[in-house]
Amino acid sequence: MFRLPNNALVYHVLKDGKTDTLILPIEGYGLWSVLYGYLAVDKDANTIKGITFYAHAETPGLGGEVDNPKWKALWPGRKIYDDKGQPALSVIKGNAGDPKTDPHHVDGLSGATITSNGVSNLMKFWFGKDGFGPYMAKFKASQGRS
Ligand SMILES: Cc1cc2nc3c(=O)[nH]c(=O)nc-3n(C[C@H](O)[C@H](O)[C@H](O)COP(=O)(O)O)c2cc1C
């Protein structure tokens, strides 16, 4: 059985009274646990500013490397969506390029492919049509209007 809430709490970080950053809650299965966190996204509704997980029970040194600042530092500048507006970000096996040349990939966590795949899956789900996809599209369309 798969159930989802109808509502989620999304934070807007304001700059000069306008939304500058969106902070969206994310969660999904890794290997041993559900990972709970937040993704910070630029006002373009596409560029990632940061990721953090505040609760999980993955193995320290393996899946637990989601908490490593060096891994988290690989995220800013990456893009959630491809040119067609589909969620495209994934955690690959091995190393990704830099955000400019390889915007849709993040380095895999070594020895932790299952946790890495879990992060890919949660990105795809939460930024797709059953997650925040419609919210992001609506926010993007409202930008520049107010
Ligand atoms: C004690 C123990 C803890 C593990 N913890 C994790 C984990 O947190 N996340 C994960 O993806 N794989 C974990 N693994 C490894 C997985 O079972 C699997 O081998 C691994 O995900 C494969 O990744 P690789 O293809 O990068 O080697 C653990 C294995 C053992 C024996």
Side-chain angles (χ1 to χ4, degrees):
M1 181 68 183
F2 183 76
R3 304 208 299 169
L4 269 181
N6 290 324
N7 301 294
L9 184 57
V10 173
Y11 297 90
H12 286 223
V13 180
L14 304 182
K15 199 171 177 181
D16 301 325
K18 286 187 180 147
T19 302
D20 184 55
T21 306
L22 299 169
I23 312 281
L24 301 120
I26 51 176
E27 63 182 74
Y29 288 109
L31 172 58
W32 307 115
S33 66
V34 180
L35 295 108
Y36 296 91
Y38 288 99
L39 193 77
V41 183
D42 183 76
K43 59 184 174 305
D44 69 4
N46 191 19
T47 307
I48 295 168
K49 286 191 164 178
I51 191 168
T52 195
F53 291 101
Y54 61 86
H56 67 77
E58 302 298 283
T59 310
L62 295 172
E65 289 294 292
V66 290
D67 297 330
N68 188 323
K70 285 186 188 148
W71 186 73
K72 296 198 283 186
L74 300 171
W75 286 74
R78 310 263 171 202
K79 308 286 181 187
I80 300 172
Y81 295 106
D82 63 18
D83 295 344
K84 297 193 184 95
Q86 297 303 311
L89 191 129
S90 65
V91 179
I92 60 171
K93 211 168 168 140
N95 299 320
D98 67 43
K100 277 213 157 51
T101 56
D102 198 10
H104 297 122
H105 294 144
V106 175
D107 293 13
L109 301 162
S110 55
T113 300
I114 301 166
T115 307
S116 301
N117 289 347
V119 177
S120 296
N121 291 340
L122 72 83
M123 287 297 299
K124 193 170 174 195
F125 176 79
W126 286 108
F127 293 93
K129 65 176 174 44
D130 297 319
F132 294 113
Y135 180 86
M136 299 301 271
K138 207 169 152 188
F139 172 76
K140 198 175 170 187
S142 75
Q143 284 292 91
R145 263 200 245 135
S146 60

